[in-house]
Amino acid sequence: SQQGEEDPQALSIQEGENATMNCSYKTSINNLQWYRQNSGRGLVHLILIRSNEREKHSGRLRVTLDTSKKSSSLLITASRAADTASYFCATVLSGNTPLVFGKGTRLSVIA
Amino acid sequence: EAGVVQSPRYKIIEKKQPVAFWCNPISGHNTLYWYLQNLGQGPELLIRYENEEAVDDSQLPKDRFSAERLKGVDSTLKIQPAELGDSAVYLCASSSDGAGTDTQYFGPGTRLTVL
């Protein structure tokens, strides 16, 4: 079963624009993680945000977490064609439980 | 540092045939995961190993799927017999420990097509 649900399912933007993807989940979590998957390649971990954190940055990535709304957002600033990929949020319910992935957002960045 | 290695990358078989996938995790990683990813979906955990012990296999269809991790290093996932619905990408991942805050490193996956 999938706990997280990303929105939108697909997003197409021009190079240089910002891309925002959202993730909603159903139950309380220990942490939430974002992964990227390029076509034909495995998943790459981008960022982890813990339940007691509200915002984290990594390079051009900004992740927010609102536990009251059970939602998270991933912002990619100044997008590049190389950012074209599927982006998944994954939640961890408690310290030793497995990742539960959402269905992902397919991002296309047009040069 | 070498990443997670999986083979084969692609496999096409007829239904009712057996198939096996192999995974070599990152050196020193104690925890190994097998995921199944259907088209347009996120990965779903099949089984998690801590060293050679399967600590979470609740989602593994045990009537046809089996896995092993002898010596706590590389692992094999087998399907026998394969069904049409098994067509998917099978991902292997590893992490240094099984904590939920530990980063998982994924292999490129094996794309299985069952005809």
Side-chain angles (χ1 to χ4, degrees):
Chain A
S1 62
Q2 289 169 315
Q3 139 115 304
E5 191 163 321
E6 291 89 341
D7 171 64
Q9 291 186 352
L11 178 62
S12 183
I13 60 174
Q14 296 287 327
E15 203 167 31
E17 294 180 339
N18 296 340
T20 300
M21 289 158 270
N22 303 296
C23 170
S24 59
Y25 56 91
K26 299 174 185 175
T27 61
S28 296
I29 59 171
N30 175 286
N31 68 77
L32 184 145
Q33 303 178 29
W34 285 91
Y35 283 78
R36 179 186 69 217
Q37 185 175 38
N38 297 95
S39 178
R41 298 182 61 183
L43 284 95
V44 174
H45 180 266
L46 295 176
I47 200 164
L48 179 153
I49 186 165
R50 301 172 191 270
S51 60
N52 61 352
E53 297 175 311
R54 292 296 166 259
E55 187 171 313
K56 287 190 81 170
H57 295 82
S58 178
R60 294 183 296 113
L61 306 180
R62 172 176 164 254
V63 168
T64 62
L65 179 65
D66 187 334
T67 53
S68 66
K69 295 181 179 178
K70 293 186 171 59
S71 67
S72 174
S73 67
L74 170 67
L75 169 67
I76 304 174
T77 59
S79 64
R80 305 167 182 168
D83 294 328
T84 295
S86 289
Y87 291 82
F88 295 90
C89 70
T91 53
V92 175
L93 301 185
S94 63
N96 199 30
T97 55
L99 285 172
V100 180
F101 285 84
K103 294 183 179 181
T105 292
R106 293 187 307 280
L107 172 66
S108 296
V109 181
I110 302 167
Chain B
E1 177 185 272
V4 176
V5 179
Q6 290 188 249
S7 70
R9 289 294 307 277
Y10 305 91
K11 188 73 177 179
I12 301 174
I13 62 171
E14 295 193 347
K15 63 181 180 181
K16 301 185 181 179
Q17 294 299 305
V19 64
F21 315 122
W22 177 80
C23 172
N24 187 256
I26 291 173
S27 178
H29 279 191
N30 297 324
T31 308
L32 183 146
Y33 312 78
W34 282 104
Y35 290 87
L36 170 125
Q37 185 175 23
N38 287 305
L39 187 65
Q41 305 287 316
E44 297 181 51
L45 182 70
L46 289 172
I47 190 167
R48 174 167 65 111
Y49 281 94
E50 294 289 346
N51 298 302
E52 57 274 353
E53 181 183 357
V55 296
D56 185 353
D57 63 356
S58 57
Q59 301 303 312
L60 190 73
K62 297 181 184 62
D63 57 336
R64 297 184 300 107
F65 287 64
S66 64
E68 60 183 14
R69 192 185 183 197
L70 301 176
K71 301 180 182 179
V73 180
D74 54 356
S75 175
T76 303
L77 177 69
K78 298 179 182 177
I79 308 175
Q80 183 171 11
E83 297 178 352
L84 294 176
D86 296 331
S87 294
V89 176
Y90 292 82
L91 296 168
C92 179
S94 69
S95 64
S96 56
D97 64 43
T101 54
D102 196 32
T103 298
Q104 294 186 26
Y105 296 85
F106 284 79
T110 296
R111 182 178 297 277
L112 173 68
T113 301
V114 182
L115 303 175

